Amino acid sequence: MNSVGTIVAWAGISALLMLAAYLWLRRFRQGPFELVWRAAVDAPFRHVDRARERRRREKEAP
């Protein structure tokens, strides 16, 4: 592939990626990588948060 073909391929792929990012971010607040990252970081604490919430509800219940 010559240099013009390479540049055209790069421009086409870049345009597709920008379109996909635009459409994704219209629907979601974060990108897909950030969603996976947040889920992975929050996962160890979900159990602790649920237990803390359950104890709080038990205290409030008459």
Side-chain angles (χ1 to χ4, degrees), residues 40-59:
V41 169
D42 290 344
F45 303 105
R46 283 192 200 123
H47 178 70
V48 173
D49 290 341
R50 287 183 189 143
R52 185 178 298 137
E53 181 65 23
R54 187 173 51 247
R55 284 190 303 257
R56 186 184 65 80
R57 286 183 188 159
E58 289 171 355
K59 277 185 177 179

Side-chain angles (χ1 to χ4, degrees), residues 1-31:
M1 190 184 287
N2 60 18
S3 59
V4 173
T6 301
I7 292 171
V8 169
W10 171 81
I13 291 169
S14 295
L16 286 173
L17 288 173
M18 286 188 285
L19 176 63
Y22 171 75
L23 293 173
W24 178 276
L25 291 173
R26 283 183 66 196
R27 178 154 170 83
F28 302 103
R29 195 175 64 137
Q30 296 176 321

